[in-house]
Amino acid sequence: MTALKIIGIILGAVFLWLVLIRVIKHFYHCPAPAFIGRFLDSRWRRWLQSPDKIIERSGIKAGMTVVDLGCGSGAFTTSVARVVGREGKVYAVDIQPAMLKQLERKLSKAENQDIKNIELKQASAYELPFGDNSVDLVYMVTVLPEIPDRSRALREVRRVLKAGGILAVTEFLPDPDYPLPATTIKMGQRAGFVLDDNLGNLWSYTVRFKKPA
Ligand SMILES: C[S@@+](CC[C@H](N)C(=O)[O-])C[C@H]1O[C@@H](n2cnc3c(N)ncnc32)[C@H](O)[C@@H]1O
């Protein structure tokens, strides 16, 4: 079999997977099942979506108070915690206890014992457990299109962000909920955010917004 045929088969399979899951999700809305947490936080995922790149594109810096909204099994949480450092804080928020359990297990591993600045919170994006204007940055990796009422979730993100605070939305094409960058930009702007930057490529991008001062 030629390399071209193999690539064609892989692309065809990915396309069919995306169509099938999108059709199912159209009729039956649910968050990503917790069993995919293992894939989300795998070596393969990190190779495809490097945490360092996502952190840089999102504008995450030392000392920030950050919310990992829809953190899942924590694919990016520990790397972010190391970047924000001792002066910073990461709140890992997810609606599914089973996802947070996986992150808890990850944090209990020997290699993560140096991390002391992550707090896990089971909550919905509709009701974030933070005060008004209290957070420097909220990032969402392959989460926003999974939320049925995105406008409501974005309004809530706006509430908790400080003036000038950052919302970073990262999307990734193999995700069955993947939206085009233009769709994400429109959603953010409709919710009252100002577009700061759109980084990456079509299949893996981060749109960065700012809450107006
Ligand atoms: C596809 S996973 C992505 C997880 C993680 N951000 C990552 O990239 O590995 C989407 C996550 O968003 C969470 N989620 C979906 N709807 C949510 C909501 N309304 N509030 C909070 N979390 C939600 C799901 O439970 C799931 O863990």
Side-chain angles (χ1 to χ4, degrees):
M1 203 183 294
T2 64
L4 217 61
K5 262 191 188 160
I6 294 172
I7 291 170
I9 290 170
I10 292 172
L11 288 178
V14 169
F15 180 74
L16 282 178
W17 153 262
L18 285 174
V19 171
L20 180 71
I21 302 293
R22 277 187 108 105
V23 169
I24 293 172
K25 284 195 136 187
H26 183 75
F27 296 103
Y28 177 67
H29 208 101
C30 62
F35 69 80
I36 70 157
R38 280 177 80 112
F39 165 73
L40 291 174
D41 193 22
S42 63
R43 208 180 301 164
W44 282 99
R45 173 85 183 289
R46 277 190 289 278
W47 179 68
L48 291 166
Q49 269 196 309
S50 133
D52 289 348
K53 211 172 265 175
I54 305 285
I55 288 168
E56 193 194 323
R57 288 177 184 168
S58 303
I60 297 167
K61 303 253 165 45
M64 282 181 161
T65 299
V66 169
V67 176
D68 183 350
L69 182 48
C71 60
S73 49
F76 302 97
T77 323
T78 48
S79 306
V80 170
R82 290 199 168 95
V83 168
V84 299
R86 280 166 189 234
E87 307 297 313
K89 175 104 187 167
V90 181
Y91 292 100
V93 176
D94 205 285
I95 200 164
Q96 297 190 80
M99 283 290 194
L100 292 172
K101 270 259 164 310
Q102 293 178 56
L103 173 53
E104 229 170 58
R105 273 202 295 276
K106 180 176 178 174
L107 291 175
S108 69
K109 288 186 179 167
E111 73 252 29
N112 290 324
Q113 289 316 295
D114 58 315
I115 299 176
K116 309 274 183 227
N117 59 349
I118 297 179
E119 203 172 308
L120 276 57
K121 297 218 178 246
Q122 193 216 328
S124 160
Y126 300 152
E127 283 172 19
L128 295 173
F130 311 109
D132 297 357
N133 311 308
S134 61
V135 167
D136 295 306
L137 186 147
V138 175
Y139 70 95
M140 304 170 88
V141 183
T142 62
V143 176
L144 186 57
E146 202 174 278
I147 299 174
D149 190 344
R150 286 154 213 145
S151 311
R152 184 173 168 195
L154 289 175
R155 275 200 305 276
E156 184 64 353
V157 169
R158 229 186 99 169
R159 179 186 69 76
V160 302
L161 275 175
K162 294 176 184 168
I166 295 172
L167 163 65
V169 180
T170 296
E171 301 296 347
F172 181 46
L173 184 55
D175 182 351
D177 296 306
Y178 169 89
L180 288 167
T183 309
T184 300
I185 291 171
K186 235 181 267 164
M187 259 189 287
Q189 288 176 328
R190 263 198 222 125
F193 287 97
V194 174
L195 179 64
D196 186 35
D197 217 338
N198 176 14
L199 300 156
N201 47 48
L202 193 65
W203 87 294
S204 176
Y205 68 85
T206 299
V207 175
R208 214 171 51 216
F209 298 99
K210 279 203 169 152
K211 174 175 168 175

